[in-house]
Amino acid sequence: MTDPRLEALRQAAPDLRLKTDPADCEHYGRDWTRRWTPAPLAIALPGSVEEVQIAVRWANEHGIALVPSGGRTGLSGGAVAANGELVLSLERMNRVLDFNAIDRTLTVQPGIPLEAAQNAAREHGLFYPVDFAARGSCSIGGNIATNAGGIRVIRYGNTREWIAGLKLVTGTGELLELNRGLIKNSSGYDLRHLVIASEGTLGVVVEATLRLTDPPPPTNVMLLALPSFDVLMKVFAAFRERLQLEAFEFFTDRALHHVLAHGAQQPFDQVYPYYVVTEFAIGDEAQEAAAMAAFEACMENGWVGDGVISQSDAQAAQLWRLREGITESLARYKPYKNDVSVRISVMPMFLEETQALLGQAYPQFDVVWFGHIGDGNLHINVLKPDDVSDADFVGQCEQVTKLLAASLAKYQGSISAEHGIGLVKKGYLESTRSAEEIAVMRGIKRVLDPNGLMNPGKVFD
Ligand code: MLT
Ligand code: ZN
């Protein structure tokens, strides 16, 4: 390692691991978008809060940008390092620091994978409810950076609801302890919530205190086949009215096609255009009867063509695989991802308009729809054909995103429901946030990161 700046960092923090290998730069410089060519200066793997502070102060001294990095499963380019940045990987800071049975909190380092935090909660007889398919590889720090949502938001809310406190090393290297695990705290601005969803642009999350809850009730999983799109929200209403829903997810026949090609099992003899996976509590006989009543009401109305209910944990997992396997099954097509949301009440109109819009705009691409329909969150994935270059493909998709952004502005929706803005959606931030709001966000960033070194170019320029 000959770069004198890196030598200075090594001297300031002898135990900080530094990597400059091209393979490491490639590995740590990208996320799941795979759209940008990684080109970081180096990778630093701190083992302590103090080492993070040293790295941030060093970055200010040398004018080097920092990219905080968790599991890099992000889908918006928020963890991409393509401009000579120092990647600060939190993967060594991956421990549970404390469990408090009375407060029902788990204090963790940011690099802990979501699944490890879930398991730690379970070992104490409690439950950390944020959950999604990348649970094994994403990290709590990354979840906080994007206010990650997932498949149980309908019942438990986003990551934001479960962060009782966090510690942040700001862009100048100060350590802030935010909210300290309090439930009630009416003492001025809640800076914790500013950090959540800030995508590493205000500082580095170095510790988080997670709120835990009671384990969920026994549940059943049901897969429903729908004959048309316009019944989707009616089916949702019928189930929500009768049941305590833990999840309500939807996907199209194209999504099913790709998941089956990836090894999942065909659920029905016949192919239907739309599917729903729903999970709901079955604590007692009344709830079981309510589930059947919801299903029968949908069948009678012609809203559902077929259905299957899980009879075992293994079958529940099999049904979930049809939904949770979608992202992985599409990865080889380098999908252009849209992650949009509107209020549930306007979802029927938004869905109708979006379907018409995309039907005209993407005639030649395979477009795969799925998502957390019960939260008003739709994932529209456009798959790149092999014979279209990356640049042409993204260019064409961006034209459509402009139309989608205009529709979102009309319905007061969001261009990013849960993946974050990162690099992918920053050109569309104004469809969701007013110019005045963005100006305030810039002002906040200037206070916490006056030299603009924290994940620059992400969220806004
Ligand atoms: C999902 O809902 O499966 C995740 O947001 C990932 C994705 O959209 O691909
Ligand atoms: Zn999602």
Side-chain angles (χ1 to χ4, degrees):
M1 193 179 305
T2 51
D3 189 315
R5 299 167 302 178
L6 293 177
E7 282 305 332
L9 179 57
R10 190 192 284 290
Q11 274 179 21
D15 294 332
L16 178 79
R17 283 190 209 152
L18 279 174
K19 294 175 187 267
T20 51
D21 233 50
D24 288 322
C25 290
E26 167 93 18
H27 176 70
Y28 288 93
R30 64 165 39 152
D31 64 4
W32 277 9
T33 51
R34 292 185 298 138
R35 200 194 289 177
W36 288 270
T37 308
L41 170 69
I43 321 302
L45 294 99
S48 68
V49 174
E50 293 71 27
E51 285 180 356
V52 173
Q53 289 179 287
I54 292 170
V56 172
R57 291 191 184 119
W58 166 88
N60 276 275
E61 209 174 298
H62 295 272
I64 292 172
L66 295 171
V67 177
S69 183
R72 292 175 304 286
T73 56
L75 298 164
S76 291
V80 167
N83 291 306
E85 305 94 332
L86 181 78
V87 174
L88 260 185
S89 164
L90 282 311
E91 74 181 23
R92 285 177 64 214
M93 294 174 66
N94 61 4
R95 284 181 303 118
V96 172
L97 298 175
D98 186 42
F99 166 70
N100 189 314
I102 297 170
D103 293 334
R104 299 181 123 199
T105 55
L106 190 74
T107 298
V108 298
Q109 292 184 305
I112 188 169
L114 169 60
E115 193 169 39
Q118 291 171 333
N119 290 341
R122 210 165 285 130
E123 277 163 25
H124 293 290
L126 291 169
F127 184 53
Y128 181 66
V130 176
D131 194 24
F132 44 92
R135 61 183 74 82
S137 20
C138 70
S139 72
I140 290 289
N143 293 181
I144 293 171
T146 53
N147 187 23
I151 56 178
R152 304 197 183 274
V153 171
I154 191 170
R155 170 107 165 90
Y156 299 100
N158 298 287
T159 297
R160 187 182 295 288
E161 263 69 57
W162 299 93
I163 304 301
L166 55 82
K167 289 186 185 170
L168 179 82
V169 171
T170 69
T172 54
E174 310 298 327
L175 181 64
L176 301 183
E177 211 176 326
L178 307 176
N179 198 58
R180 300 159 202 256
L182 295 170
I183 295 171
K184 300 187 93 170
N185 183 4
S186 183
S187 61
Y189 306 151
D190 195 333
L191 302 180
R192 158 191 56 161
H193 284 300
L194 265 186
V195 174
I196 299 168
S198 66
E199 301 188 40
T201 60
L202 301 178
V204 187
V205 173
V206 290
E207 193 179 298
T209 296
L210 311 179
R211 190 163 281 147
L212 307 179
T213 188
D214 291 324
T219 57
N220 254 345
V221 177
M222 200 186 271
L223 179 74
L224 304 168
L226 276 51
S228 70
F229 198 50
D230 55 343
V231 299
L232 183 57
M233 296 313 284
K234 294 179 184 154
V235 174
F236 173 56
F239 273 75
R240 190 165 70 161
E241 193 182 295
R242 293 173 175 86
L243 295 164
Q244 180 185 306
L245 296 180
E246 300 280 315
F248 193 91
E249 301 275 316
F250 124 102
F251 52 93
T252 60
D253 55 344
R254 291 308 302 160
L256 183 66
H257 164 86
H258 290 287
V259 179
L260 295 181
H262 216 70
Q265 265 179 29
Q266 176 77 259
F268 302 117
D269 296 339
Q270 203 183 316
V271 173
Y272 289 85
Y274 303 99
Y275 300 88
V276 160
V277 170
T278 178
E279 185 168 331
F280 43 83
I282 43 137
D284 52 33
E285 275 178 23
Q287 279 174 318
E288 282 184 46
M292 287 324 293
F295 177 70
E296 277 157 19
C298 290
M299 284 293 275
E300 274 161 29
N301 281 302
W303 300 339
V304 161
D306 207 343
V308 54
I309 189 161
S310 61
Q311 303 296 333
S312 63
D313 287 353
Q315 200 186 2
Q318 218 172 53
L319 296 179
W320 263 119
R321 184 177 173 193
L322 299 173
R323 165 63 183 91
E324 291 211 298
I326 298 172
T327 304
E328 212 178 311
S329 76
L330 303 183
R332 84 167 193 82
Y333 300 98
K334 280 194 168 181
Y336 180 93
K337 287 184 173 275
N338 293 292
D339 161 42
V340 299
S341 68
V342 293
R343 280 173 295 134
I344 300 169
S345 57
V346 297
M347 201 66 180
M349 287 164 302
F350 177 72
L351 286 177
E352 200 184 319
E353 195 170 306
T354 305
Q355 207 183 26
L357 183 92
L358 299 197
Q360 289 162 9
Y362 280 129
Q364 72 284 40
F365 295 148
D366 188 2
V367 181
V368 179
W369 294 49
F370 59 99
H372 321 280
I373 208 77
D375 313 325
N377 177 190
L378 193 60
H379 295 310
I380 302 165
N381 284 220
V382 189
L383 309 193
K384 192 183 89 57
D386 287 340
D387 58 352
V388 178
S389 75
D390 285 8
D392 276 359
F393 173 68
V394 171
Q396 288 188 53
C397 291
E398 298 274 316
Q399 291 310 317
V400 182
T401 302
K402 280 187 196 139
L403 303 175
L404 195 56
S407 168
L408 284 165
K410 184 172 107 188
Y411 286 107
Q412 300 191 308
S414 176
I415 193 72
S416 175
E418 59 175 3
H419 294 170
I421 295 291
L423 294 168
V424 172
K425 292 286 150 44
K426 79 173 165 180
Y428 308 97
L429 187 61
E430 283 176 22
S431 65
T432 302
R433 301 301 199 102
S434 68
E436 292 79 5
E437 252 187 304
I438 296 171
V440 172
M441 290 204 265
R442 285 188 210 283
I444 291 167
K445 179 166 171 71
R446 273 196 296 275
V447 172
L448 287 163
D449 177 30
N451 293 324
L453 298 175
M454 291 309 313
N455 217 7
K458 315 293 167 47
V459 186
F460 46 68
D461 283 317

